[in-house]
Amino acid sequence: MGTKGKVIKCKAAIAWEAGKPLSIEEVEVAPPKAHEVRVQIIAAGLCRSDTHVINPKFEGAFLPVILGHEGAGIVESVGPGVTNVKPGDKVIPLYVPHCRKCKFCQSPLTNFCTKFSEHKNPIIEQELMDDKTSRFTCKGKSIYHFLGISAFSQYTVVKDINLAKIDDDANLKRVCLIGCGFSTGYGAAINDAKVTPGSTCAVFGLGGVGLSAVIGCKTAGASRIIAVDINSDKFAKAKALGATDCLNPRELNKPVQDVIVEMTNGGVDFAIDCAGGSEVMKATVDCTTVGWGSCTFVGVNVNDKGLTISPVELILGRTLRGSSFGGWDVDTVPKLVSDYKNGKFNLEALVTHTLPFEKINEALDLLKQGKSIRTILIY
Ligand code: PAD
Ligand code: ZN
């Protein structure tokens, strides 16, 4: 007996309130409507961005919600009009949609799509499907989607334009990390910063995203990669992945940017902020060289006011840019999955823990305490 066209009852982790643990509940997942796809999630990682929405300081939170945006799964059924995937296909849902129609999708300069963000903050986008309703119900209440994905449910409904179809032999327990953390950091280095061979780089924040940026800098041929974190426990892994130097700002007697400038005879060529917050943003700018220093911002700090910058810092030749999902989209992610299979990069190094989906709160605690890089939840 198939499930197509029927409501599926399954387990999901629901955030009912900010600042509280998630609660594993039975949810009802409605069948997909036009241009929607119901996906069985097989594995998912936990990214720092999942925690922002349930941070009590976060303004504009929409609750209750099913978080999760770093998952991989198998198509269970498709709604009318879906042509890019079929039941049984392996997929990675992406929070960056690709409508192919807007001026951004038609430009090679960006992976942005108007369907991603019509408001100011993409993190509170895609909380409902296009008809402004949710496909999730729990205890009679409608539950919000998150970033168009909601991977912390055994089944979820995603728009067809948010799905990357990947190879049938892809290892979902690893390539789920291509759904966010790995692609974000790696792409920030190679697609957005465009790190060049022989260059000097600094990476701030050595979580799943920052370590992936280190992998990107190394792949691009950087000759020196200075890895910065306030948690020195992250340094062994950063070195194993290619960092040449590691600095802990809390153990230095002057600002970390001053130390980097001294170490590099005037500053690095490329700096990538994978931690977020005004202090790190400032260090990211100040540690780059005048003339051509390139700063790429990835990290997000809830309610932080960001950077105040003097025009002189830019007039002297620096450039600043932000990076969203490392510049990838539904068309380029399948290639990343094959690159992983062909050994071009290592995802194993990012996986510090594996837990059953039901232990998601343990995984969240490990992330908050800085004890994990990525925990893979198995459904
Ligand atoms: P994580 O919490 O695993 O890693 C963050 C790391 O930064 C930790 O190791 C911290 O110790 C370190 N850190 C914190 N403060 C500082 C500081 N002042 N100086 C140096 N290091 C510091 O998070 P993650 O790797 O999952 O995500 C990193 C950030 O990237 C986070 O802000 C997340 O929201 C953002 C993100 N952005 C995108 C995007 O597309 N722009 C995508 C995914 C994640
Ligand atoms: Zn993420």
Side-chain angles (χ1 to χ4, degrees), residues 46-52 69-70 95-96 111 116 123 180-181 184-185 203-211 228-232 234 247-250 256 273-277 279-280 283 297-302 322-327 367-368 370 372-374:
L46 220 69
C47 167
R48 176 62 67 171
S49 304
D50 291 309
T51 67
H52 294 334
H69 64 282
E70 194 176 79
Y95 63 88
V96 177
N111 64 346
F116 180 38
I123 217 164
C180 184
T184 299
V203 175
F204 293 80
L206 304 173
V209 175
L211 289 173
V228 183
D229 202 296
I230 51 174
N231 177 354
S232 304
K234 309 272 173 139
L247 297 174
N248 184 336
R250 293 195 175 154
V256 63
D273 167 13
C274 301
E279 205 183 306
V280 181
F297 298 94
V298 180
V300 181
N301 224 347
V302 172
S323 174
S324 166
F325 190 51
L367 181 69
K368 283 188 205 150
S372 62
I373 301 300
R374 281 301 196 253

Side-chain angles (χ1 to χ4, degrees), residues 158-189:
V158 179
K159 287 186 243 172
D160 53 1
I161 57 171
N162 289 66
L163 281 176
K165 182 194 168 324
I166 57 171
D167 288 345
D168 288 342
D169 61 355
N171 176 0
L172 300 181
K173 293 173 187 166
R174 288 293 174 269
V175 301
C176 56
L177 298 180
I178 292 176
C180 184
F182 172 75
S183 310
T184 299
Y186 182 71

Side-chain angles (χ1 to χ4, degrees), residues 201-204 268-273 284-285 287-288 294-297:
C201 300
V203 175
F204 293 80
V268 293
D269 303 315
F270 298 94
I272 306 176
D273 167 13
T284 302
V285 175
C287 80
T288 59
S294 147
C295 311
T296 301
F297 298 94

Side-chain angles (χ1 to χ4, degrees), residues 36-85:
E36 295 177 3
V37 177
R38 192 159 54 185
V39 177
Q40 180 188 9
I41 300 291
I42 301 296
L46 220 69
C47 167
R48 176 62 67 171
S49 304
D50 291 309
T51 67
H52 294 334
V53 180
I54 46 171
N55 182 334
K57 284 195 224 152
F58 182 70
E59 286 166 9
F62 45 93
L63 296 164
V65 63
I66 297 175
L67 299 169
H69 64 282
E70 194 176 79
I74 297 173
V75 173
E76 174 270 338
S77 63
V78 303
V82 173
T83 54
N84 58 333
V85 294

Side-chain angles (χ1 to χ4, degrees), residues 45-357:
L46 220 69
C47 167
R48 176 62 67 171
S49 304
D50 291 309
T51 67
H52 294 334
V53 180
I54 46 171
N55 182 334
K57 284 195 224 152
F58 182 70
E59 286 166 9
F62 45 93
L63 296 164
V65 63
I66 297 175
L67 299 169
H69 64 282
E70 194 176 79
I74 297 173
V75 173
E76 174 270 338
S77 63
V78 303
V82 173
T83 54
N84 58 333
V85 294
K86 57 180 191 313
D89 281 351
K90 285 188 175 173
V91 288
I92 298 180
L94 306 185
Y95 63 88
V96 177
H98 195 59
C99 78
R100 298 182 197 282
K101 291 178 196 141
C102 71
K103 70 172 183 185
F104 302 107
C105 283
Q106 288 178 357
S107 164
L109 298 176
T110 181
N111 64 346
F112 184 79
C113 167
T114 40
K115 295 273 186 188
F116 180 38
S117 175
E118 288 162 12
H119 306 290
K120 280 189 187 150
N121 188 346
I123 217 164
I124 54 174
E125 294 290 317
Q126 307 186 84
E127 72 274 28
L128 290 168
M129 301 310 280
D130 274 351
D131 65 356
K132 302 291 172 208
T133 64
S134 164
R135 301 291 163 267
F136 297 114
T137 313
C138 179
K139 297 179 176 162
K141 284 205 179 83
S142 173
I143 310 292
Y144 283 114
H145 294 245
F146 176 59
L147 281 173
I149 298 181
S150 292
F152 298 158
S153 176
Q154 290 172 322
Y155 285 85
T156 184
V157 176
V158 179
K159 287 186 243 172
D160 53 1
I161 57 171
N162 289 66
L163 281 176
K165 182 194 168 324
I166 57 171
D167 288 345
D168 288 342
D169 61 355
N171 176 0
L172 300 181
K173 293 173 187 166
R174 288 293 174 269
V175 301
C176 56
L177 298 180
I178 292 176
C180 184
F182 172 75
S183 310
T184 299
Y186 182 71
I190 67 168
N191 294 334
D192 291 324
K194 298 191 168 66
V195 169
T196 50
S199 61
T200 53
C201 300
V203 175
F204 293 80
L206 304 173
V209 175
L211 289 173
S212 302
V214 169
I215 298 175
C217 294
K218 170 93 179 158
T219 307
S223 63
R224 196 156 184 200
I225 304 169
I226 303 171
V228 183
D229 202 296
I230 51 174
N231 177 354
S232 304
D233 292 346
K234 309 272 173 139
F235 293 163
K237 190 143 269 180
K239 286 210 165 138
L241 292 173
T244 51
D245 310 81
C246 292
L247 297 174
N248 184 336
R250 293 195 175 154
E251 289 169 4
L252 302 170
N253 54 18
K254 54 180 138 177
V256 63
Q257 51 266 50
D258 295 357
V259 174
I260 296 174
V261 166
E262 281 168 21
M263 284 166 73
T264 54
N265 188 25
V268 293
D269 303 315
F270 298 94
I272 306 176
D273 167 13
C274 301
S278 37
E279 205 183 306
V280 181
M281 291 180 81
K282 181 160 171 41
T284 302
V285 175
D286 291 350
C287 80
T288 59
T289 178
V290 297
W292 55 73
S294 147
C295 311
T296 301
F297 298 94
V298 180
V300 181
N301 224 347
V302 172
N303 289 351
D304 183 88
K305 297 238 171 348
L307 190 66
T308 304
I309 190 158
S310 134
V312 177
E313 300 208 60
L314 303 177
I315 290 166
L316 291 177
R318 294 187 179 91
T319 54
L320 314 189
R321 68 164 302 152
S323 174
S324 166
F325 190 51
W328 309 101
D329 61 24
V330 296
D331 289 338
T332 46
V333 157
K335 169 82 169 43
L336 272 182
V337 171
S338 345
D339 283 350
Y340 166 65
K341 190 174 68 187
N342 296 329
K344 190 162 172 198
F345 50 79
N346 170 355
L347 293 174
E348 272 62 35
L350 303 177
V351 180
T352 51
H353 301 75
T354 301
L355 286 174
F357 171 54

